[in-house]
Amino acid sequence: MLIREATAADWPGIWPFFQDICAAGETFTYPLHPTQEEARAMWMLPAPAHVVVAEEAGTVLGTANMYANRPGNGAHVASASYMVDPAHQGRGTGRALVTYSLDWARAAGFRRIQYNAVVETNAPALALYRDLGFEILGTLPEGFRHPERGYVGLHSLHRAL
């Protein structure tokens, strides 16, 4: 698996699973049915953000974007988001993307990383984050409307770099 900077040419490989993940409505606070242009603008962030893809044999397995969580005096804290194509889950792609983002944030001079909105029912992501040293800062009760489970909590996580 290769993780590399994403280019505009990667978007056609990202869009199908981005669209499916949004439509499922289980893990992201994004609109359920963004247009392709809206989705591209949400995900393919301009520099100084950093967007990558994980690929294997020319197939995009997943993607991540990473950036300063806040501007100004909060710009020393990074954040990131990850999407793995459901057809390629369970192969270590998510772990590779998170590890890459931690290394990127460290190299870019960030001191901490914070995830602002992790759905409490997203057990695989939470297990991975905990395994990589993240802690839950707090939970916004009923902060996310899950399509099957109703209103569930939205966690904020962090870890030192």
Side-chain angles (χ1 to χ4, degrees):
M1 173 186 330
L2 170 69
I3 297 179
R4 61 167 176 77
E5 188 168 354
T7 68
D10 293 312
W11 183 249
I14 296 169
W15 169 238
F17 66 85
F18 186 102
Q19 186 176 26
D20 290 346
I21 289 168
C22 285
E26 297 176 347
T27 55
F28 276 84
T29 58
Y30 293 163
L32 295 177
H33 303 289
T35 67
Q36 189 167 174
E37 294 75 27
E38 291 167 337
R40 185 187 340 244
M42 285 187 286
W43 197 261
M44 302 294 282
L45 302 173
H50 186 60
V51 184
V52 298
V53 292
E55 71 168 357
E56 192 169 78
T59 299
V60 175
L61 308 176
T63 182
N65 60 27
M66 49 213 86
Y67 43 86
N69 193 43
R70 297 285 180 251
N73 288 344
H76 60 284
V77 178
S79 193
S81 295
Y82 314 95
M83 282 194 182
V84 175
D85 184 337
H88 299 289
Q89 288 178 344
R91 299 174 48 190
T93 304
R95 179 175 293 274
L97 288 167
V98 174
T99 301
Y100 177 97
S101 71
L102 295 174
D103 292 341
W104 172 85
R106 222 176 270 112
F110 291 97
R111 295 177 52 89
R112 302 195 76 73
I113 187 163
Q114 176 179 336
Y115 300 152
N116 301 312
V118 180
V119 179
E120 73 179 356
T121 56
N122 191 349
L126 288 167
L128 172 60
Y129 301 151
R130 283 187 182 115
D131 191 50
L132 292 174
F134 284 84
E135 297 176 15
I136 294 174
L137 281 170
T139 303
L140 175 62
E142 298 185 354
F144 185 82
R145 190 179 64 225
H146 192 281
E148 294 175 8
R149 299 182 185 187
Y151 290 97
V152 299
L154 204 53
H155 295 313
S156 177
L157 287 81
H158 78 103
R159 68 159 278 179
L161 295 169

